[in-house]
Amino acid sequence: MRTASYLIALDWGTSSLRAALMAADGAVLDEVSSDDGILSAAAGRGFRAVFDHVAGPWLADHPDSVVLAAGMIGSRQGWREAPYIACPAGFTELGEGLVSLDEHGLTLGLVPGLSAQHADGVPDVMRGEEVQVFGALDALGLDDGLFVLPGTHSKWVRVENRRIVSFHTYMTGEVFALLRWQSILSRLMPDHDTTPWEEGRVVFTKACALAAEGALLHRLFSVRSQGLLGKLPGDQQSDYLSGLLIGEEVREALALTGSPASGHVHLICNAALFVRYQAALSVFGVDSSACSAQASFRGMYAMARERRLIGVLK
Amino acid sequence: MRTASYLIALDWGTSSLRAALMAADGAVLDEVSSDDGILSAAAGRGFRAVFDHVAGPWLADHPDSVVLAAGMIGSRQGWREAPYIACPAGFTELGEGLVSLDEHGLTLGLVPGLSAQHADGVPDVMRGEEVQVFGALDALGLDDGLFVLPGTHSKWVRVENRRIVSFHTYMTGEVFALLRWQSILSRLMPDHDTTPWEEGRVVFTKACALAAEGALLHRLFSVRSQGLLGKLPGDQQSDYLSGLLIGEEVREALALTGSPASGHVHLICNAALFVRYQAALSVFGVDSSACSAQASFRGMYAMARERRLIGVLK
């Protein structure tokens, strides 16, 4: 790829697409979101048509742009596969793993995902979160740290000397959604969660403390047993369930990864998840702070800059 | 209730109904199963019509029958509520908690469920499993033991001196079904599970060993990561997932209840679940044996006999 004056960065996941036009100094000039995740794009008008719709105007205005895409778009179900790179991996390894896609006048770099091999012989994978971590490192000016990306499949990522040395995935968000909406536990809960966090926080924190003792499969049933016996109102059960699961995630992660030496964790997520994870971490005596929600754009920008794909203004 | 010569025993759960006509010596003379669980019965022709359809002919032939029903039929969503009895509870407490329902010439005794209060302040409940445990005790001639009832909501029940002193519920079966059929993990699995147990046993046991180290929310994702990296074929993933969950249940239960002093557990379940739980327990060094599948009928019979509701043949 050539050195360009603009970066078009796409964070293209399973169910959504976020794109930004960035200047050579990293400023976000324009930003677009859409529901055209890889599943709907593949089933619908196709990846190229979605790309042209979202980023075509930027590319027309700024032909001198480099285009990078991270996330599930580089998976086997995506536009083209960018095979996983093994940890430890930093900007160098990630940049070397970029897969270039040339199609009808468009050149696009697909960021690879990362794989980890745990001591127990079981592997782990991520795709898309790696650029968020590198973006947070760049934004915070850090070389080391423990980064947590809460969500459907939460990632706990350990960074040393600007390289991701290991990470673990937790299915917290997906298990919560299944239990909240599709299990027997949903029967005693209201159809919508309307309890404000200031009220839900108490029962959430209580559930985190229970989770600290382990035994998730057992404690999950206590959402129902307490409901049946009139000890937990329906409108508090969702926060209680959330606390059991996020508390379990924190418990498992601190056992597997060890407490961060700094006693501090960087959370990369939206505000609603931030307050929950911050509360859960504090039950376990761990401090936390929030990172920019634009971490993925910043990560792709830092990659482009380090690989001299984009020219920094002098 | 009067002393009768026959017992009509109904095991009436959420989604199914099993009923038996029993003689005064406990012999099962006739048996019927139907899909008329309390949900479909309540939504359809109603409890009385279902009862008359299933047990009406027995009652017509043997007016000298006592009728007992256990399970969700005694819940708030059932025919009439039989409130939970607190543990410890034996035949005496359960019999005293029987709720008699008299309706248009029918007298029916509803067996109450049991509640437990754990040391952490969290309660637990069961409804229907208690008669299975008492049936197994009666059939095996035991006064003590650890009884495990695997299923949607598995129960681990500790019995001392013919009384249920405590129990714990685990949401293993329901969490398995949600993850197997409705989560992202299902995407790499075949549409049907056809792997014979002789083959699935290896990967199931390996997963139980991983589960012994804890960290369920993390290990669940390894079903997918190993699938993506070609380390776990699609047709082995369901048994692997099953091993992670049943292994976690056993790990939690041995931590909460303690290993049985006898080193032995009594399993009350069908043959398919028996081989899985036996394999999982053996990973943790615990022996197990199977109890009769007719334990619920036997339990209601033993209750009726001890409360002299039914006359034993001299």
Side-chain angles (χ1 to χ4, degrees), chain B residues 224-294:
Chain B
R224 180 164 173 81
S225 60
Q226 292 184 96
L228 287 172
L229 297 174
K231 299 193 172 180
L232 186 67
D235 62 1
Q236 292 186 12
Q237 293 178 18
S238 182
D239 284 317
Y240 181 81
L241 173 62
S242 169
L244 287 181
L245 287 164
I246 295 176
E248 169 73 11
E249 176 186 325
V250 173
R251 188 188 70 75
E252 292 183 16
L254 295 181
L256 286 174
T257 315
S259 289
S262 62
H264 190 93
V265 156
H266 303 279
L267 286 164
I268 306 180
C269 58
N270 63 31
L273 280 175
F274 174 71
V275 293
R276 286 176 188 269
Y277 274 75
Q278 187 177 50
L281 284 159
S282 74
V283 168
F284 290 80
V286 177
D287 277 341
S288 55
S289 55
C291 298
S292 158
Q294 289 191 327

Side-chain angles (χ1 to χ4, degrees), chain A residues 74-92:
Chain A
S75 70
R76 215 168 301 162
Q77 289 76 42
W79 203 339
R80 180 165 303 171
E81 186 175 6
Y84 294 106
I85 304 292
C87 283
F91 282 109
T92 307

Side-chain angles (χ1 to χ4, degrees), chain A residues 48-68:
Chain A
R48 179 59 188 265
V50 170
F51 175 86
D52 286 343
H53 179 75
V54 166
W58 293 336
L59 210 47
D61 289 348
H62 307 287
D64 185 18
S65 294
V66 64
V67 185
L68 292 179

Side-chain angles (χ1 to χ4, degrees), chain A residues 115-131:
Chain A
S115 65
Q117 183 73 32
H118 298 307
D120 56 18
V122 176
D124 210 329
V125 293
M126 67 161 72
R127 208 178 258 290
E129 292 90 353
E130 67 294 327
V131 295

Side-chain angles (χ1 to χ4, degrees), chain A residues 4-47:
Chain A
S5 302
Y6 295 89
L7 168 67
I8 294 173
L10 299 118
D11 179 0
W12 205 334
T14 301
S15 55
S16 69
L17 163 62
R18 291 171 62 232
L21 173 69
M22 301 174 80
D25 65 351
V28 174
L29 304 175
D30 197 9
E31 194 180 336
V32 172
S33 303
S34 96
D35 295 332
D36 288 307
I38 69 158
L39 290 184
S40 84
R45 48 189 168 170
F47 298 119

